[in-house]
Amino acid sequence: AAKIMSMGILSASGSGRDETHMEEQPDRTPEGTAARVVSLRGRSLAECPLSSFTYPPASLVELDVSHNCLSALPDLSALCNLVSLSVRRNVFRVLPPSLARLPRLARLDASRNELRPSADLLLLLTEPQLPSLQTLDLTFNKKLYTQSLSDLLSSSLPAAAVYMTVTSPPPPGAYVGDSSGERDPTLLRSQLEPYTTLQLRKRLVDTFGHRPHSMYGAPPAGRAEVMTSLLGEYARAGPRKLVRSRGTPVPPPLLAAVRRGLRA
């Protein structure tokens, strides 16, 4: 078995900004060469410069190209010992086809992209299965949102932990009522339902002083947890003042004209 040790990241730009990020990886590849962990995170890259690497491709065990502007990667098949790949927070609509030729890939983070639930995606991940895959993160891809897709991937990849942001059907506690007509308008919860989860998180930060979510950290809380936290803050703040405002009646001639228009 390969010896496990902490390895620092080789930064392509020479900057030390990523050096606090460490991973447990083998210090030697199966061929006996020194294993390398490479980070190109947050470089505003539109292309991945794999061809500029001066060390053997087979020496890479981890590659992090997250937080860039990438929509594709070059052929990865030469990275035969790659264990971990992060393409998090880019603009991928499809995953690189050469992933299927990475026999040791155990962790794939493709969260926060623009992936679509296509047949190509399913075939790439499941036919045949990536033999060493243990973790697949597809969270916060807006088009990958159904429970049925999550169930399909989980059943097709029984050896892997699959993570997705499921919004259809809504998770328990995410929403109350299917429409405004089914909610009690006097309740604060009903008044908050039209807001997006992002807007609710922003209110926690701006109004109640919560710490903003870091795009480099763990995924933010889901809608149900955010809503519970926000309602708790309002409850601790005390009773809210209820303001009622009466509108101005519509003049009868204008109302008659509107009715005629609706009947036409």
Side-chain angles (χ1 to χ4, degrees):
K3 178 184 175 184
I4 303 297
M5 63 178 292
S6 292
M7 301 182 62
I9 286 180
L10 302 177
S11 173
S13 68
S15 165
R17 66 188 247 184
D18 289 332
E19 302 220 345
T20 56
H21 174 72
M22 309 290 282
E23 289 287 344
E24 295 293 318
Q25 296 288 8
D27 65 335
R28 293 282 170 181
T29 68
E31 292 79 16
T33 58
R36 287 181 169 86
V37 176
V38 176
S39 174
L40 300 174
R41 183 172 72 173
R43 313 295 180 193
S44 300
L45 298 174
E47 296 182 356
C48 183
L50 290 183
S51 59
S52 66
F53 293 175
T54 58
Y55 33 85
S59 66
L60 264 69
V61 294
E62 179 177 349
L63 177 61
D64 184 349
V65 293
S66 62
H67 298 265
N68 283 295
C69 307
L70 300 170
S71 60
L73 290 178
D75 186 6
L76 302 174
S77 56
L79 310 182
C80 57
N81 291 311
L82 194 67
V83 173
S84 179
L85 173 64
S86 176
V87 296
R88 170 186 170 92
R89 201 180 279 271
N90 279 283
V91 290
F92 286 87
R93 293 195 171 196
V94 295
L95 291 175
S98 54
L99 288 178
R101 297 189 289 276
L102 300 177
R104 294 186 173 87
L105 186 66
R107 295 185 296 278
L108 174 59
D109 184 350
S111 60
R112 297 186 178 276
N113 278 276
E114 299 175 5
L115 297 175
R116 268 63 173 165
S118 64
D120 290 339
L121 174 69
L122 295 174
L123 290 174
L124 174 63
L125 294 174
T126 63
E127 297 293 338
Q129 296 177 18
L130 299 176
S132 301
L133 191 63
Q134 299 175 11
T135 304
L136 173 63
D137 190 343
L138 299 174
T139 54
F140 297 100
N141 281 274
K142 290 185 178 179
K143 298 293 185 180
L144 306 181
Y145 63 91
T146 64
Q147 185 65 53
S148 58
L149 177 60
S150 177
D151 293 341
L152 176 59
L153 288 173
S154 296
S155 61
S156 300
L157 299 167
V162 178
Y163 299 97
M164 275 181 50
T165 304
V166 174
T167 59
S168 178
Y175 292 93
V176 172
D178 293 330
S179 68
S180 58
E182 298 181 6
R183 302 177 190 128
D184 182 348
T186 65
L187 297 179
L188 175 59
R189 171 73 190 251
S190 301
Q191 298 165 23
L192 293 174
E193 288 293 5
Y195 291 95
T196 67
T197 306
L198 183 61
Q199 290 172 322
L200 297 178
R201 290 194 189 104
K202 189 173 186 301
R203 184 169 294 194
L204 280 171
V205 173
D206 295 345
T207 305
F208 296 105
H210 283 220
R211 180 175 297 181
H213 169 67
S214 170
M215 65 179 181
Y216 292 104
R223 182 180 180 88
E225 185 176 343
V226 171
M227 183 66 82
T228 299
S229 181
L230 187 55
L231 291 174
E233 291 289 359
Y234 277 113
R236 285 187 286 274
R240 299 169 65 241
K241 183 179 180 181
L242 182 61
V243 178
R244 297 185 183 274
S245 177
R246 293 186 178 275
T248 302
V250 179
L254 178 57
L255 186 58
V258 171
R259 286 171 176 166
R260 287 194 299 270
L262 293 173
R263 293 191 189 104

